[in-house]
Amino acid sequence: MAATRLPGTPRLLRALNDRAALDLLLTRGPLTRAQLGELTGLSKVTASQLVERLEERGLVRRVGEQAGGRGPNAQLYSVTPGSAHVIGVDVGPDTVIAACADITGAVIGRAELSTKDTDDPVGVVHQAVVQAASDAGTDITSVRRVVLGTPGLVDPQSGEISFAWDLPRWHRGLLADLRRDLSTPVVFGNDVNMAAIAESSTGAAAGVTDFALVWIGRGIGLASVIDGRLHQGATGAAGEIGYLPVGGADVPHNASKRGVKGAFQTLAAAEAVKAVGKQHGFRGAEAADVVRAAVAAGTAGEPVLDELARRLALGVAAICLVLDPPLVVLAGDVGRAGGPALAERVEREVAAITLVSPKVVVTGVATDPVLHGALRTALDAVRDEVFGSTTD
């Protein structure tokens, strides 16, 4: 049996070495052949062969020289940015935002379109994707994957949107339509899950393998990361905590009907936040404006933050008693606006009413978390495809 596996061993080792080198070039910047050899543990000869192989495939390029001691300067190599592109899309009820990144992760193109005056989701996404690619100086043929972060349920088996309460024109069959239209792989991802991926990559949950992200905005949602993996559930409904039955709010018995809001959403999402603020003299066009005003008001705004924390803690406590995460991240417009003042109050309230006391923090992703999560999801998949094919 061992003999039958031997012919594949050198090829496998080359693939592993190539991927390790490419990952180092992405994370450590331009490197010489000698530096790559030292960091990977490869001999000078093997490292040189590796670089030549990657250069021939167009995955790395020479970007300069590094002066050394005696002898000629050493060539510096980096990953070729244009070897592949990806596009992430943040789909909202009013706008579609698309961003194009090269394979290094640098965002080089962006487009934003209104969805208010159209009933053609394929046309809007197509236009946004093409414009983002054009803004990046490329075209759709170089885009290896498009990932859309969207509200609602994404079926883990089919990848289709099965329910989106505030996107009535989005429907089953849309995924296949988009794939045909764009002629490239297209993937849907729940928007809150995409935000959690961004949080795990560059935000408050970086380096954390178990955490919960609670999104507070128009609606309220949850993303659960368990042992480094997103938990989506059997139907993609894991995290739809707006429908969580909680005390202090009526529980609807026709929750699947479009337009029906769940108990926790009516208690703690944007409309409820504005109502709480109004009771204490704080008004704003958006719920986040109300919360920012309450935070800025100091002592005068504390009743608003206390009441919001009490309401949020009902849902967060239920989450934590089931999942017991060490960390909870408050995200979305309202979560970000509340900052540490709201997060600390939620942490104290959860500890007071349950047997668990997770750390509760505000999001560390300042802008466009859904978009950045979609880009990260696309990049991870495309890097596996492109970097994993080095020995083909």
Side-chain angles (χ1 to χ4, degrees):
M1 292 293 291
T4 62
R5 292 197 295 264
L6 283 175
T9 301
R11 186 169 182 263
L12 174 61
L13 289 175
R14 284 197 299 272
L16 293 172
N17 290 337
D18 289 354
R19 181 58 192 264
L22 288 163
D23 287 341
L24 282 167
L25 288 171
L26 284 171
T27 57
R28 302 286 287 268
L31 297 169
T32 66
R33 297 186 184 206
Q35 289 169 334
L36 278 172
E38 181 179 348
L39 291 168
T40 57
L42 300 174
S43 69
K44 291 182 179 179
V45 172
T46 304
S48 292
Q49 292 172 342
L50 177 153
V51 171
E52 290 171 4
R53 188 163 59 245
L54 297 179
E55 195 172 15
E56 287 174 2
R57 293 187 62 84
L59 296 179
V60 303
R61 62 177 184 172
R62 304 180 190 192
V63 293
E65 295 181 344
Q66 185 178 78
R70 298 177 179 178
N73 293 342
Q75 294 284 342
L76 283 166
Y77 295 86
S78 70
V79 172
T80 305
S83 55
H85 295 90
V86 300
I87 288 181
V89 185
D90 179 2
V91 179
D94 299 321
T95 59
V96 169
I97 305 172
C100 181
D102 62 37
I103 202 165
T104 70
V107 177
I108 53 176
R110 184 181 172 100
E112 183 170 345
L113 299 176
S114 171
T115 59
K116 290 181 179 179
D117 300 322
T118 180
D119 57 1
D120 178 17
V122 173
V124 172
V125 172
H126 175 96
Q127 190 176 357
V129 167
V130 169
Q131 286 187 14
S134 177
D135 191 50
T138 186
D139 57 45
I140 192 64
T141 60
S142 76
V143 176
R144 298 286 293 259
R145 183 168 294 244
V146 176
V147 174
L148 294 92
T150 173
L153 306 187
V154 178
D155 188 315
Q157 303 303 317
S158 67
E160 287 276 10
I161 295 175
S162 58
F163 179 76
W165 67 272
D166 58 355
L167 293 174
R169 300 179 186 90
W170 291 63
H171 53 81
R172 282 191 177 274
L174 186 58
L175 182 61
D177 292 344
L178 285 168
R179 286 173 174 171
R180 280 193 298 269
D181 179 74
L182 295 171
S183 299
T184 196
V186 178
V187 176
F188 286 138
N190 172 267
D191 54 355
V192 180
N193 285 344
M194 294 298 100
I197 289 172
E199 205 72 53
S200 180
S201 176
T202 61
V208 180
T209 57
D210 294 84
F211 71 95
L213 180 140
V214 178
W215 182 276
I216 315 151
R218 294 188 318 277
I220 192 161
L222 165 74
S224 304
V225 175
I226 303 171
D227 198 21
R229 298 174 64 88
L230 276 170
H231 178 69
Q232 301 181 69
T235 64
E240 295 296 326
I241 57 170
Y243 297 95
L244 188 70
V246 292
D250 292 335
V251 178
H253 286 78
N254 55 346
S256 62
K257 186 177 179 181
R258 188 173 296 280
V260 173
K261 297 177 181 179
F264 191 38
Q265 176 164 339
T266 62
L267 191 71
E271 290 183 10
V273 171
K274 292 173 75 172
V276 170
K278 186 177 180 180
Q279 290 173 1
H280 296 277
F282 292 91
R283 291 175 171 81
E286 304 293 340
D289 298 329
V290 173
V291 176
R292 273 191 290 269
V295 171
T299 303
E302 288 183 355
V304 174
L305 299 177
D306 289 342
E307 175 61 15
L308 292 181
R310 184 192 68 78
R311 295 181 179 209
L312 287 169
L314 295 176
V316 174
I319 294 162
C320 293
L321 284 171
V322 174
L323 300 177
D324 194 15
L327 179 70
V328 175
V329 179
L330 301 185
D333 292 344
V334 172
R336 186 167 56 247
L342 180 60
E344 290 166 5
R345 283 173 167 80
V346 173
E347 180 177 314
R348 290 195 297 268
E349 187 70 18
V350 170
I353 63 175
T354 70
L355 299 175
V356 296
S357 52
K359 181 68 176 175
V360 181
V361 300
V362 67
T363 175
V365 181
T367 59
D368 297 328
V370 176
L371 187 64
H372 288 303
L375 283 170
R376 173 54 54 185
T377 301
L379 279 168
D380 287 345
V382 168
R383 284 172 180 172
D384 283 343
E385 293 171 2
V386 175
F387 294 170
S389 65
T390 57
T391 59
D392 291 347

